[in-house]
Amino acid sequence: MSLHESLEQPFRPNFSRTIRLSWLNLTWLKRYRALLIPGLILGLIVFAGLFAPLVAPYDPNAIDIGNALSAPSWEHWLGTDQLGRDYFTRVLYGGQTTLFLAGFSTLVVIAIGLAVGLISGYVGGAVDTVISTCLTVLLALPNLLLTLAILGILGPSNQTLLIALIGAGWVGHARVFRASVLSLREQVYIEAAKALGFSPWRIMFRQLLPNLLPTVVVLATLDIGAFLLLISSLSFLGLGSQPPAADWGVMLSDARPYFTQVPMLVFAPGVLITLVVLTCNLLGDAIRDLVDLKR
Amino acid sequence: MGAYILKQLALAVPTLLLLTFVAFSLTTAARGDPAEIALRQGGNDPTPEQIAAYREELGLNDPIIVRYGRWMLGLTQGDLGRSFLSQREVSKVLGERIVPTLRLGLTAFVVASVFGIGLGVLFGLSANSWFDIVGRWLSLLFAAIPSFWLALLLIVIVAERWRLLPVAGYGNGDPRYMILPVIALACGPAAALMRVTRGAVIEVWRQDYVRTARSHGLREVAIALRHALPNALLPIVTLLGLRFGQILAGAIIIESIFAWPGMGTELNTAISGRDLPVIGAYVLIAGVSFIVVNLITDISYGLLDPRIRLGAGQGGRA
């Protein structure tokens, strides 16, 4: 293997390097124990939301007034809502919307944060001074305030909510990635790559980017949970998805008047939001522990 | 020390300027022509000439820098413009709502700090006991529960079913009306503080000076109170500033649910009705208070820890 190739070896996460996967003695399972249960729960919820049309037993908008507000039964696992629509189906479709919004904004926010962080941290000089000053100033405002300001200009809807979340969310990440790049660029292999005459783009994409991956994974998992909380709160207030599109936040505000009659209408989406946020936080912490070399 | 404070103040200036510009842009980002909208009030049908004249009178034809300057000048006299929806002065609309928001926010802040730091210290000192494990799971759970859902559950169960406390409203300052909103608002920040405090206490408990104190025969209580806790709580002080932001943001949601007559409720009405002057003013007021709180925490951190003030450490969020 030439020096060239060894420098461009794809990223080997620290967890695989340090443990050396030995499938036979199952030590790997012990190592990843912390990921197992939250990963399974989150996977199940995401799967159910993703394939809602296949999993759901009914049409989410099939109205059956005669059967409105019924308690959970074999036909309707979570009962029916005020229009007699099957609530289990509604919850699945609501999850699809909510999880899509949270996942999409996470992806875009991470991508923008990475791009800005890489350029600012690696190019340095005047570019870095300008970018990091802007970041400092933007970070001085609470995230939600920026989100609401953007939402206020554009008016409430699903799309504007996404724009607002992304517009406000990338700033913190750019700063984290910039700091990581600043410490990575002092590493010997980056110096070697420079000495070999690699272009800055090549260094950014093939040396720096793979090494940022652990940070990316941790931030992304924590982000999904945080965005989910924000999206459902804003939707609950009527600042996100507009009816009849139903994400979990909208479903909760719709279900409010019927709480005493059918508590399940309020329990189901709330428990699911809590569960997704909880599993995301657990996963984020567990991954951070795994990649943290100091331990 | 003076130089350190001056540096922190200087760092806040560009932020404040940007904040005023964001707020100003919000007030001018309206759809449609403000002059036309104002003249059309009451069913009038103004001619294009009238609108043009009124635009000139309002100074809407001036370059944006001039308008920004004029807006800043108005700001120094407490003039925040007029609400699109109610046509009242924004400073009056928001002014009468500051006190309820402060009452709610500060109470929640104190409750979150006392419970978060207090329980965090207890968990940290009894690390890995059953008490600590239960507490850790509780703090994970409370960090994940959406505050608006918790508010909903509290209203329905405690207020509507058990009839222990009022459902919603301000009740002319009756403290009983504040209990449920404070609980809903304080839960998330308390959970976060608990986690950080526990970690800091465990970290400090491993330090050499704790072992030294113990080898000198000090009692555990004395070690905890005199040596460990002061060091552990230092970084937590800075985090209180962030919690303040969290509570400020959470209040927007919680106030609306409890029909609390605060700035958050007003902001929600404003966003739904795209009442940009009110939104801009809210962003300005909330932003300024957040910046001031951060400034205070940064400065107090510098006062408490000489390493920060002398630039040796890498702490401080700038």
Side-chain angles (χ1 to χ4, degrees):
Chain A
M1 198 191 293
S2 75
L3 180 57
H4 252 91
E5 283 166 30
S6 69
L7 274 173
E8 292 192 351
Q9 276 299 301
F11 169 69
R12 296 259 177 274
N14 298 323
F15 31 103
S16 74
R17 200 191 62 206
T18 44
I19 0 162
R20 194 151 295 138
L21 295 179
S22 42
W23 296 86
L24 282 176
N25 64 18
L26 290 183
T27 44
W28 62 275
L29 194 67
K30 206 177 160 199
R31 178 93 184 183
Y32 293 114
R33 196 178 40 189
L35 297 181
L36 199 66
I37 292 171
L40 275 178
I41 296 176
L42 187 65
L44 194 70
I45 297 175
V46 171
F47 178 85
L50 227 57
F51 297 99
L54 296 177
V55 184
Y58 294 90
D59 178 339
N61 294 318
I63 294 173
D64 178 8
I65 294 288
N67 199 17
L69 295 173
S70 64
S73 62
W74 274 115
E75 287 78 46
H76 300 283
W77 288 1
L78 297 178
T80 54
D81 69 2
Q82 68 277 17
L83 295 175
R85 297 174 292 195
D86 179 55
Y87 208 57
F88 180 63
T89 307
R90 303 276 300 163
V91 165
L92 287 182
Y93 276 89
Q96 196 176 35
T97 318
T98 313
L99 291 170
F100 169 77
L101 287 175
F104 185 78
S105 30
T106 303
L107 280 182
V108 179
V109 159
I110 294 267
I112 300 178
L114 263 178
V116 176
L118 272 174
I119 292 173
S120 178
Y122 188 72
V123 176
V127 178
D128 181 40
T129 314
V130 172
I131 293 180
S132 57
T133 312
C134 290
L135 291 183
T136 308
V137 171
L138 282 174
L139 270 182
L141 304 180
N143 208 338
L144 190 79
L145 215 55
L146 276 182
T147 313
L148 289 174
I150 301 174
L151 215 53
I153 296 178
L154 300 175
S157 82
N158 245 345
Q159 288 88 356
T160 52
L161 179 61
L162 266 186
I163 298 174
L165 289 173
I166 292 165
W170 64 273
V171 190
H173 290 353
R175 187 149 153 138
V176 173
F177 290 131
R178 175 180 168 272
S180 313
V181 171
L182 282 183
S183 71
L184 280 178
R185 58 185 275 193
E186 306 299 324
Q187 301 286 321
V188 185
Y189 58 83
I190 300 294
E191 261 175 54
K194 270 192 216 161
L196 282 168
F198 286 0
S199 74
W201 292 111
R202 187 166 175 174
I203 295 177
M204 272 192 246
F205 278 98
R206 305 199 56 176
Q207 267 89 37
L208 287 174
L209 197 57
N211 281 291
L212 289 172
L213 216 60
T215 321
V216 168
V217 174
V218 172
L219 282 184
T221 9
L222 295 174
D223 259 9
I224 295 179
F227 275 132
L228 193 86
L229 271 183
L230 208 55
I231 290 168
S232 43
S233 311
L234 293 174
S235 286
F236 179 79
L237 292 178
L239 303 178
S241 305
Q242 302 295 319
D247 68 8
W248 288 336
V250 175
M251 291 174 70
L252 278 170
S253 80
D254 285 349
R256 235 219 99 166
Y258 312 103
F259 192 145
T260 31
Q261 281 165 277
V262 191
M264 187 52 89
L265 297 185
V266 172
F267 283 134
V271 168
L272 278 168
I273 296 173
T274 311
L275 213 53
V276 174
V277 178
L278 184 65
T279 49
C280 282
N281 289 349
L282 284 172
L283 276 180
D285 286 353
I287 298 172
R288 182 161 40 200
D289 288 349
L290 277 176
V291 293
D292 192 353
L293 276 178
K294 281 176 284 179
R295 280 162 191 265
Chain B
M1 190 62 218
Y4 174 78
I5 293 178
L6 275 181
K7 194 177 147 221
Q8 295 298 322
L9 283 173
L11 277 172
V13 171
T15 317
L16 279 171
L17 276 179
L18 178 97
L19 187 66
T20 57
F21 196 74
V22 168
F24 167 72
S25 317
L26 268 169
T27 59
T28 56
R31 277 177 313 181
D33 184 348
E36 192 179 334
I37 293 168
L39 285 181
R40 276 188 192 282
Q41 280 227 324
N44 296 324
D45 193 10
T47 61
E49 289 78 32
Q50 279 175 313
I51 294 174
Y54 196 56
R55 275 187 71 84
E56 195 60 46
E57 193 188 320
L58 286 178
L60 288 172
N61 294 330
D62 297 332
I64 188 143
I65 292 293
V66 176
R67 274 154 57 202
Y68 175 60
R70 193 168 332 128
W71 182 83
M72 285 290 274
L73 211 66
L75 193 64
T76 54
Q77 289 149 11
D79 177 13
L80 288 162
R82 262 171 202 286
S83 154
F84 287 169
L85 287 181
S86 63
Q87 297 300 321
R88 294 175 59 215
E89 277 175 44
V90 174
S91 50
K92 291 222 175 79
V93 173
L94 285 178
E96 61 202 29
R97 304 216 167 216
I98 286 181
V99 173
T101 292
L102 276 182
R103 273 189 65 202
L104 181 65
L106 288 179
T107 317
F109 185 71
V110 171
V111 169
S113 307
V114 168
F115 277 89
I117 296 179
L119 285 173
V121 167
L122 289 182
F123 293 146
L125 290 178
S126 61
N128 295 322
S129 67
W130 62 267
F131 175 64
D132 173 46
I133 290 166
V134 170
R136 203 162 51 197
W137 278 98
L138 277 182
S139 74
L140 274 167
L141 188 67
F142 279 115
I145 290 182
S147 63
F148 70 92
W149 188 57
L150 185 66
L152 213 58
L153 295 184
L154 286 173
I155 290 178
V156 173
I157 295 171
V158 179
E160 286 177 2
R161 183 156 297 172
W162 296 345
R163 300 188 183 280
L164 288 179
L165 290 165
V167 172
Y170 192 59
N172 278 326
D174 182 348
R176 284 184 306 142
Y177 283 78
M178 220 165 60
I179 298 177
L180 293 183
V182 164
I183 295 176
L185 196 51
C187 247
L193 274 173
M194 222 182 275
R195 235 175 98 116
V196 181
T197 311
R198 175 182 179 274
V201 169
I202 292 178
E203 184 67 35
V204 166
W205 210 241
R206 284 200 206 114
Q207 299 293 318
D208 289 340
Y209 54 79
V210 170
R211 203 179 37 202
T212 310
R214 195 170 287 143
S215 70
H216 281 202
L218 259 71
R219 281 178 306 140
E220 295 290 303
V221 179
I223 300 173
L225 291 181
R226 300 262 311 273
H227 298 273
L229 292 185
N231 280 300
L233 293 182
L234 205 57
I236 293 163
V237 173
T238 42
L239 280 175
L240 286 178
L242 289 179
R243 294 305 133 220
F244 174 80
Q246 196 183 354
I247 284 176
L248 203 68
I252 300 169
I253 293 153
I254 296 299
E255 279 183 5
S256 310
I257 298 176
F258 285 97
W260 190 260
M263 291 169 62
T265 309
E266 191 63 43
L267 179 71
N268 267 306
T269 323
I271 292 179
S272 303
R274 309 210 34 208
D275 194 347
L276 291 165
V278 175
I279 302 174
Y282 179 88
V283 168
L284 188 72
I285 296 172
V288 168
S289 52
F290 186 68
I291 291 170
V292 169
V293 167
N294 267 344
L295 204 61
I296 294 172
T297 46
D298 278 347
I299 291 176
S300 61
Y301 198 30
L303 278 173
L304 294 170
D305 190 344
R307 282 170 304 181
I308 303 297
R309 150 172 102 232
L310 299 173
Q314 38 170 247
R317 275 156 291 102

